[in-house]
Amino acid sequence: MIGKKLVKFVVQNAEGFVGPIAFEHLIYSHKKRKLYEHKKARRHEILYFIHALLYLVSLQFLLRIMSTGRNRLAASPPGHNLIEFASFLFSKRANQMIYLPLISDMREEYNEALFQNRTWKARWIHIRGIYSFFAAIGLDRAFAFVSFFIKAWKSVN
Amino acid sequence: MFNFDPRLPSAKELIVLDMLAGKKEMYGLEMVQASGGKLARGTIYVTLMRMDDKGYVTSRQLMEENVSGLPKRVFSITGLGQRALAAARSAQAVFGGVEVWG
């Protein structure tokens, strides 16, 4: 029910989901809520806030990816934030067995591509590495959930 | 951490065991490149961790940092892994080349 409403809202306000227009919509729905205490404006405000936030994150991410290459000044190596993220969320063993080697492999391929002056390939490797990282998280959590479920089932029976 | 699981290895685990049986030690990216698209970058280390839990492979961290600035983890097959591989191969032979996995 909520999903249908959300899809309808997105379709009706499709133009608002294109980049900076989300900010205008956010300000508009905020004003609308403040002035008229409009019921739907609150929900719209939350949705546009999320979208504006996603837009900012993706913009920052795109700028980061696009700035790969010779002209780049000092920057953290690819996967730096992912390591921070994984070390904060997951166990030391999971980090040592899955996430650190994954980032290490990505950096190896990335550096090799940069060494051959293949900047676009390096960018692609960076994006693919991020995708692999989140795929690994998904698979790892899925296995953890299934094994927890099996253990719980065995202990009950 | 060792947790013996009597099932036969899965299809992906068999590919990994097959590769490790031929070489002394390998790391994830090496396996992905050698598999020719059968293994994915995102899933290889999760599979290897599960195999480590089952006792099929063992791993060690190389002490020296490489060009990535992070230490590498290399994996090698254990005795149990070799037995599981042999059992899976004989099961395949019995079932006339049909892929058999746990």
Side-chain angles (χ1 to χ4, degrees):
Chain A
M1 193 67 186
I2 296 165
K4 269 185 184 176
K5 278 185 178 175
L6 187 70
V7 169
K8 197 179 169 189
F9 172 77
V10 172
V11 170
Q12 282 174 350
N13 300 275
E15 82 282 1
F17 279 78
V18 185
I21 302 167
F23 290 99
E24 288 172 25
H25 279 229
L26 176 65
I27 294 161
Y28 174 71
S29 40
H30 180 71
K31 279 179 184 170
K32 203 172 169 184
R33 186 174 66 83
K34 287 280 175 192
L35 284 172
Y36 310 115
E37 293 182 350
H38 200 277
K39 280 181 186 174
K40 281 185 180 176
R42 177 72 180 167
R43 199 175 61 197
H44 290 188
E45 196 183 11
I46 293 166
L47 278 168
Y48 282 120
F49 176 75
I50 293 167
H51 181 246
L53 204 69
L54 284 174
Y55 174 72
L56 279 178
V57 170
S58 58
L59 194 71
Q60 194 260 354
F61 171 72
L62 267 177
L63 285 173
R64 204 178 148 79
I65 295 284
M66 294 303 287
S67 64
T68 303
R70 282 182 189 176
N71 299 328
R72 192 171 183 176
L73 299 172
S76 54
H80 174 76
N81 293 336
L82 298 180
I83 292 173
E84 298 283 322
F85 177 73
S87 62
F88 178 71
L89 281 183
F90 305 115
S91 66
K92 192 182 172 188
R93 184 167 182 267
N95 270 296
Q96 283 184 344
M97 292 290 288
I98 303 173
Y99 304 112
L100 286 178
L102 193 74
I103 302 290
S104 173
D105 287 353
M106 179 185 80
R107 281 188 189 172
E108 190 182 316
E109 281 188 297
Y110 180 88
N111 290 334
E112 205 177 300
L114 277 189
F115 183 70
Q116 294 167 352
N117 269 338
R118 298 172 76 181
T119 316
W120 277 103
K121 195 187 173 188
R123 285 172 189 154
W124 165 241
I125 287 165
H126 190 183
I127 294 167
R128 193 179 59 188
I130 292 165
Y131 169 75
S132 303
F133 179 83
F134 285 104
I137 288 179
L139 194 68
D140 181 36
R141 292 301 90 197
F143 279 133
F145 176 75
V146 170
S147 60
F148 170 78
F149 187 75
I150 290 168
K151 272 181 193 170
W153 180 260
K154 278 180 180 172
S155 65
V156 168
N157 292 305
Chain B
M1 198 50 68
F2 179 77
N3 178 25
F4 178 66
D5 190 341
R7 288 177 306 165
L8 284 173
S10 69
K12 285 200 174 178
E13 286 173 354
L14 263 182
I15 296 168
V16 172
L17 286 175
D18 226 3
M19 275 190 280
L20 286 175
K23 279 196 177 184
K24 199 182 174 189
E25 283 180 326
M26 284 177 101
Y27 61 97
L29 185 63
E30 249 183 317
M31 290 182 209
V32 171
Q33 285 168 345
S35 72
K38 286 179 186 168
L39 298 171
R41 286 169 177 79
T43 56
I44 182 71
Y45 285 107
V46 182
T47 309
L48 284 166
M49 188 175 156
R50 285 185 69 218
M51 290 172 75
D52 187 72
D53 288 346
K54 288 177 183 175
Y56 292 157
V57 296
T58 182
S59 68
R60 71 184 178 93
Q61 195 164 287
L62 294 179
M63 292 311 287
E64 73 274 12
E65 288 186 349
N66 59 5
V67 71
S68 70
L70 293 169
K72 259 199 177 110
R73 183 163 284 274
V74 287
F75 294 82
S76 54
I77 192 166
T78 60
L80 183 65
Q82 281 173 342
R83 285 210 299 276
L85 180 65
R89 276 179 181 161
S90 33
Q92 273 183 3
V94 168
F95 288 100
V98 178
E99 285 190 341
V100 182
W101 57 79

